[in-house]
Structure formats: structure tokens, C-alpha cells
Amino acid sequence: MENFGHNGATAASWGDYPYTDMPEFERSKEFAPDIVLLKLGTNDTKPQNWRGAEPFAAELGRLADTYRNLPSHPQVIVLTPVRCFLTEEGTISPQKIAGEVRPAVERLACERGLGIINLFNLFGDRWDATLMPDRLHPSAIGAGMIARKVGDYLLAGKKGRKPSFVPEGATAFCFHGFRGYDFRSEGTECKVVCPARKRKEGPGCGAHVSGGMSRRRTSTCWRKDSTSSTATWPTSTDRTRRRSAGTGSTAI
């Protein structure tokens, strides 16, 4: 695993620090990863960088496609930014992260068939200085929580597929980055969302929901021949390695 992050980087090519202009970006492609984690968007919300959710999503999508088209054809997983608790004006915007960046990342994952790890609510909805001392960057404890969340996702396996009982002609929708389906079964309105993984105790393949449903930086890469990992999840050598990741890319 390698970290190819760069502090302050943006997904937007017009940003003050575009990730694609950073040397880490070229090195991440040369690494020939099998898995890429992309976590960008926080710095895109600065006033000088922000042009709207759609342009941001288009830039992040182009970056994801660049990795998917590498000779190694890696799995690309996008991560939503962690909730930000800054209060000053004229800088990174907590409101844009919550109301525009997060939904844009979720839609992109759903539309492009990308994996997604939602970190937005990981630290709760109230500022905790032990997790985010400066209201923006995670502490060692917070970074460990992020690493655990990512590790759990990677160890759980691939994203769930369309359940076999969903009929042809069902209407697809996005539910926090996961693909869902609207359809009728024996006269009953049904909604199904494909989970990130199947239940261990049974063959369950989706979350069946009745009634209403809300429809509601950085890349990390792994290579199969690597024996090291990051933060807290186990590796083939039973060791862990801790790294400080900027906004950009990390590879295995």
C-alpha cells in the first residue's frame, strides 16, 4: 500500500491545487493499483474553487475514469468527505460539503457503478475536539476510526448486485450511493436497496423497505502483491503501518 495524498488538493482542474497537477497523481498511476480510494471535495468548497455540484462531480468522475482505464483496471471506490465543523467565512464550507459535495459523490457512485464509503457522519453531528481538534482535520483517534471504516469495507468484499427477484423494468434510484429499485409485486409498491455485502447468516441480497424512503481528499490504492496495510486492519504479516494521508491518493 502507498499513500499518494497531497494536502489541500482539489478534484477540480481549475482549483488552487488540482490533484492531477501533483506529482503524487503520476506516481499513483505508475504504481499499477488494484484498488483506488478517492477522497476529494473538502478543498473544492473554498470560494475560489467552487463552481457548483455538477462541475465538481464531472471532475471527480474524470479522475475516477482515469484510474479505471489504467492497465491494471483497478476497482475505484469514492469516499464522501467527513463532516466539517469550521465556523469562519471565506474558507472550506461545511454547508457545501453537507448539501452539495456529499450528494454529488453519492450520485456519482450510483451512476458510474463505483464503490462508496460514506464517512460524512462518522464523527457525529456535533464537534468533538478529541476527534477533530481544529474542526477540520481528524486527530489520531479520528484517523483510526476512518481507517477502521475503510478496512471493514475492503474486508467485506464487493458491492451487492441487483437481486434476482427484481423484475425487468424496475426503476433504478440512488440511495446514499447505493443502487435501489422501485417496482410492484402482486399489487404492492416495493423498494429494494442493494447492500454493500450479504448477511453472513443467510442468503439475503437486499434491504426491503416498505413505505416512503428518502432518496436521498485524495485517492488510496492497493496492489495484490503487497504485504502491508494501513492503520488498524490485519495484514499478511500481522503488522500495521500508520500514515498521514493528504488529499490525493494511497496505493497498495
Side-chain angles (χ1 to χ4, degrees):
M1 174 179 177
E2 282 294 334
N3 170 26
F4 295 109
H6 190 98
N7 291 334
T10 65
S13 57
W14 58 79
D16 43 12
Y17 297 103
Y19 182 65
T20 51
D21 288 353
M22 304 302 161
E24 291 89 345
F25 174 59
E26 293 301 323
R27 294 206 305 270
S28 71
K29 293 188 292 181
E30 294 168 359
F31 190 80
D34 292 305
I35 301 175
V36 175
L37 301 183
L38 289 174
K39 183 177 176 293
L40 289 155
T42 298
N43 294 294
D44 287 86
T45 67
K46 294 177 181 177
Q48 67 270 27
N49 298 330
W50 189 248
R51 295 185 182 178
E54 288 189 11
F56 162 74
E59 293 289 278
L60 186 61
R62 277 191 282 271
L63 185 57
D65 287 343
T66 297
Y67 283 111
R68 293 174 101 177
N69 292 328
L70 290 175
S72 60
H73 299 295
Q75 176 190 7
V76 177
I77 303 166
V78 290
L79 288 72
T80 64
V82 177
R83 188 191 297 270
C84 167
F85 296 93
L86 291 176
T87 57
E88 57 264 36
E89 300 288 335
T91 183
I92 289 167
S93 169
Q95 293 76 25
K96 285 186 174 65
I97 291 173
E100 299 192 66
V101 172
R102 177 193 178 189
V105 173
E106 293 175 347
R107 285 194 300 271
L108 180 70
C110 193
E111 293 169 359
R112 301 286 185 93
L114 304 173
I116 183 168
I117 302 174
N118 203 321
L119 301 178
F120 181 75
N121 291 317
L122 186 62
F123 297 162
D125 58 3
R126 294 185 180 182
W127 175 53
D128 185 338
T130 62
L131 301 178
M132 194 175 274
D134 63 356
R135 296 178 178 266
L136 176 63
H137 300 98
S139 65
I141 297 173
M145 291 173 63
I146 293 173
R148 174 66 67 182
K149 178 87 171 181
V150 173
D152 288 345
Y153 180 95
L154 295 175
L155 294 173
K158 294 186 177 181
K159 192 174 180 179
R161 297 182 178 180
K162 177 180 176 181
S164 59
F165 58 82
V166 173
E168 293 298 325
T171 302
F173 64 88
C174 179
F175 183 74
H176 295 288
F178 294 93
R179 181 60 59 86
Y181 299 93
D182 278 329
F183 59 95
R184 292 181 66 87
S185 177
E186 298 180 355
T188 301
E189 294 288 343
C190 300
K191 297 180 187 290
V192 172
V193 175
C194 299
R197 58 184 180 273
K198 293 183 179 181
R199 296 176 57 190
K200 292 181 180 179
E201 62 271 23
C205 55
H208 187 196
V209 182
S210 60
M213 177 185 290
S214 173
R215 303 189 178 184
R216 306 186 11 128
R217 304 164 250 195
T218 306
S219 69
T220 305
C221 318
W222 279 262
R223 195 165 58 201
K224 291 174 183 174
D225 58 1
S226 172
T227 58
S228 62
S229 184
T230 186
T232 57
W233 57 87
T235 70
S236 58
T237 57
D238 291 324
R239 293 178 297 182
T240 58
R241 184 169 59 183
R242 299 179 183 269
R243 286 178 172 270
S244 174
T247 304
S249 166
T250 308
I252 292 180

